[in-house]
Amino acid sequence: MASLTTRLIMTVTAEPGYNATDIELARAAALGDAAAFEKLYQQHHRRVYSLCLRMLGNSSQAEDLAQEVFLQVFRKIGSFRGDSAFTTWLHRLTVNQVLMHFRKRGVKLEHTSEEGDFTNVVDTPLQSTRRISLVDRMTLEKAISQLPPGYRTVFVLHDVEGYEHEEVGSILGISIGTSKSQLHKARMRLRELILKKNE
Amino acid sequence: MGCKQFEEMISDYIDGALETGEQAVIERHLADCESCRALRDDLLQLVHFSRHLPEHTPSSTVWTAIQTQVKSERRVGLRQRVARWLARLEERNFILSLPQLAAGAVALILVALVVSVVLRREAQQSAETASTPASAAISKNLLSYPDLQQIEERISQLESSVEQRKASWTPDLRQAFERNLAYVNQSLIECRQQISGHPEDKVSEELMLNAYREKVRLLEGFEAF
Ligand SMILES: [Zn+2]
């Protein structure tokens, strides 16, 4: 009766010096181990919150969603199979929560813009002589939060989080072409926002 | 190529998604056009910085709220489990064999084990911080663990409360209760025997603690009927 499970669980949470992997923690949490669940939270809450914050552009909504994400983790951890990385699983769960939040609030993700939506490259003053960096992080984060939701979502998924266009397309239910063009427009808009700020 | 065409392709260019031919055309334009070079440089910076943004920390209220919710869902979970299990018993017309019930109980005990390991550690920690100097040679034997006394007290409370309710139970419910109680009691006896023979057997100690807790749960579950 002193089964393998027993030993595994005891190792995961009981030994102070032992650094359990995410998968071990997830298994223990699925069996009801509150300490393992807390450890998962400690290790991942910043990433989850940051992702919510960037996709929503609003810190109190991001906190609400981060909370909802970890409650979902608590409820669904048993369905995590361990054949993907825990971070990948958690990440997808977070993105889905944000998208559900958008849907509930009737936020439109497709942003149809006219050509004149952002300043054309030819009208932009020359910047190549700048010695200082175009971007500082604070300004960049602020500018991202000012993007329309559709641009922001694609930009955050692709440029911040590193998803490929194929993945972005399948997550958002849009074509690869749309994903690419939204991304391009997002980048151009960001540049414009930042240049305006630096003027 | 003009600047307008260049602008349409710049994102693909910096993402390395262009074919060699297109890339060469772009680069030719770049060599001649200062404003498009500026655009390229800006976007490259943008993309680079976006990949390396710092993480942010939510306020501590987030974890507090999660914990509160999780705790209440755990309690509901226990009640539902008992209810589901009883429903299953009814479906099967109470012909579950003892091994089946036993298997169920073993599974429950394994689940509860996790909780107990954590509980024990937390209790030890708080005891360590609370207790004053002498540190009363932390007992090597879990049998004298202070938790046990509490559990025994809780059990006797529950037993008398369940005893009163029993009168209104159906024979089937009573039978299910007795059977499971018998199983848990049997586990307790076995654990005690094992421990008295092998005082260093930590696993048996853990299992015994859990059989105790399982007994509490069982009584708590049936107290609701
Ligand atoms: Zn040009």
Side-chain angles (χ1 to χ4, degrees):
Chain A
M1 220 164 41
S3 71
L4 205 63
T5 326
T6 314
R7 287 177 208 283
L8 172 77
I9 296 157
M10 287 167 74
T11 321
V12 167
T13 53
E15 279 177 29
Y18 181 72
N19 261 337
T21 65
D22 281 341
I23 289 183
E24 286 171 325
L25 287 172
R27 275 186 201 142
L31 288 170
D33 185 336
F37 178 65
E38 182 168 1
K39 215 161 190 186
L40 283 174
Y41 178 82
Q42 281 165 359
Q43 277 170 17
H44 297 283
H45 73 288
R46 274 175 227 93
R47 228 177 114 70
V48 165
Y49 172 69
S50 302
L51 177 54
C52 292
L53 182 60
R54 289 195 178 108
M55 287 181 81
L56 293 161
N58 172 308
S59 60
S60 83
Q61 284 179 12
E63 288 194 344
D64 287 349
L65 267 193
Q67 181 185 325
E68 192 50 41
V69 167
F70 279 96
L71 287 174
Q72 292 295 328
V73 170
F74 169 73
R75 291 169 196 144
K76 293 183 173 170
I77 190 90
S79 71
F80 169 64
R81 291 272 161 257
D83 43 12
S84 66
F86 179 75
T87 45
T88 311
W89 182 79
L90 179 61
H91 220 261
R92 262 320 260 280
L93 203 135
T94 307
V95 172
N96 286 341
Q97 283 296 314
V98 174
L99 295 180
M100 232 154 71
H101 170 90
F102 282 149
R103 231 170 283 136
K104 265 189 225 154
R105 303 200 157 205
V107 176
K108 285 253 165 24
L109 288 187
E110 58 280 0
H111 186 88
T112 46
S113 68
E114 299 304 315
E115 279 306 306
D117 204 25
F118 34 72
T119 320
N120 219 292
V121 61
V122 276
D123 307 328
T124 309
L126 277 188
Q127 297 293 334
S128 60
T129 47
R130 271 192 319 261
R131 279 288 152 256
I132 29 155
S133 167
L134 168 82
V135 185
D136 74 84
R137 291 190 166 97
M138 288 266 284
T139 314
L140 175 57
E141 299 220 60
K142 179 112 195 296
I144 294 173
S145 76
Q146 288 169 342
L147 287 174
Y151 289 177
R152 192 169 63 226
T153 306
V154 174
F155 180 82
V156 168
L157 290 179
H158 189 282
D159 278 2
V160 179
E161 300 297 332
Y163 283 105
E164 299 294 333
H165 282 296
E166 288 76 7
E167 296 169 289
V168 176
S170 86
I171 290 170
L172 299 177
I174 57 178
S175 71
I176 293 174
T178 306
S179 173
K180 281 187 169 185
S181 85
Q182 296 273 94
L183 176 69
H184 175 64
K185 286 169 184 169
R187 286 171 175 175
M188 294 297 283
R189 174 64 74 82
L190 274 179
R191 178 187 189 235
E192 192 186 69
L193 285 167
I194 292 165
L195 287 176
K196 225 180 258 167
K197 176 98 196 312
N198 286 355
E199 260 168 19
Chain B
M1 161 181 274
C3 296
K4 190 133 186 56
Q5 273 171 292
F6 175 87
E7 192 196 300
E8 277 164 19
M9 295 167 83
I10 179 69
S11 267
D12 276 343
Y13 173 69
I14 62 175
D15 290 339
L18 291 181
E19 283 162 25
T20 346
E22 294 171 313
Q23 204 172 312
V25 176
I26 284 266
E27 272 154 12
R28 233 172 292 139
H29 180 84
L30 274 176
D32 299 335
C33 182
E34 202 174 359
S35 66
C36 284
R37 274 204 300 277
L39 173 62
R40 176 203 57 190
D41 293 346
D42 286 351
L43 291 192
L44 279 174
Q45 274 192 56
L46 243 176
V47 171
H48 172 78
F49 274 81
S50 299
R51 272 315 265 143
H52 301 93
L53 286 174
E55 291 187 340
H56 295 265
T57 308
S59 68
S60 59
T61 53
V62 173
W63 174 241
T64 316
I66 293 171
Q67 265 181 316
T68 311
Q69 182 65 21
V70 160
K71 269 181 198 153
S72 83
E73 287 185 25
R74 281 215 169 97
R75 275 197 296 276
V76 173
L78 169 66
R79 246 174 277 143
Q80 283 172 347
R81 225 164 51 206
V82 173
R84 262 204 305 270
W85 166 71
L86 279 169
R88 226 171 25 234
L89 283 187
E90 261 165 49
E91 263 170 36
R92 296 193 186 192
N93 247 349
F94 294 95
I95 49 163
L96 272 189
S97 65
L98 193 58
Q100 276 173 312
L101 276 177
V106 169
L108 277 181
I109 287 176
L110 279 178
V111 169
L113 176 67
V114 178
V115 181
S116 99
V117 172
V118 177
L119 279 181
R120 182 167 58 84
R121 208 183 34 179
E122 279 168 1
Q124 270 177 350
Q125 278 166 356
S126 57
E128 276 163 23
T129 46
S131 74
T132 31
S135 91
I138 295 169
S139 166
K140 288 196 189 84
N141 194 336
L142 277 173
L143 283 169
S144 59
Y145 184 64
D147 233 25
L148 275 191
Q149 208 177 330
Q150 274 182 16
I151 295 177
E152 295 276 13
E153 279 165 24
R154 176 89 184 119
I155 285 177
S156 67
Q157 278 171 10
L158 283 167
E159 273 173 344
S160 61
S161 150
V162 166
E163 199 56 42
Q164 285 171 1
R165 298 199 157 258
K166 259 186 193 170
S168 61
W169 288 358
T170 64
D172 292 341
L173 190 59
R174 198 171 308 160
Q175 198 189 351
F177 173 72
E178 302 292 356
R179 236 190 242 169
N180 278 273
L181 189 63
Y183 178 75
V184 175
N185 283 336
Q186 185 59 35
S187 307
L188 276 172
I189 292 167
E190 282 170 12
C191 289
R192 282 204 202 97
Q193 282 171 350
Q194 175 70 13
I195 292 167
S196 65
H198 307 86
E200 295 304 309
D201 185 346
K202 294 287 174 218
V203 173
S204 293
E205 283 178 352
E206 294 292 349
L207 287 173
M208 187 196 62
L209 270 177
N210 277 283
Y212 267 120
R213 291 199 170 89
E214 206 49 51
K215 188 168 174 178
V216 171
R217 284 184 181 204
L218 183 73
L219 290 165
E220 279 175 346
F222 276 88
E223 197 194 14
F225 290 97

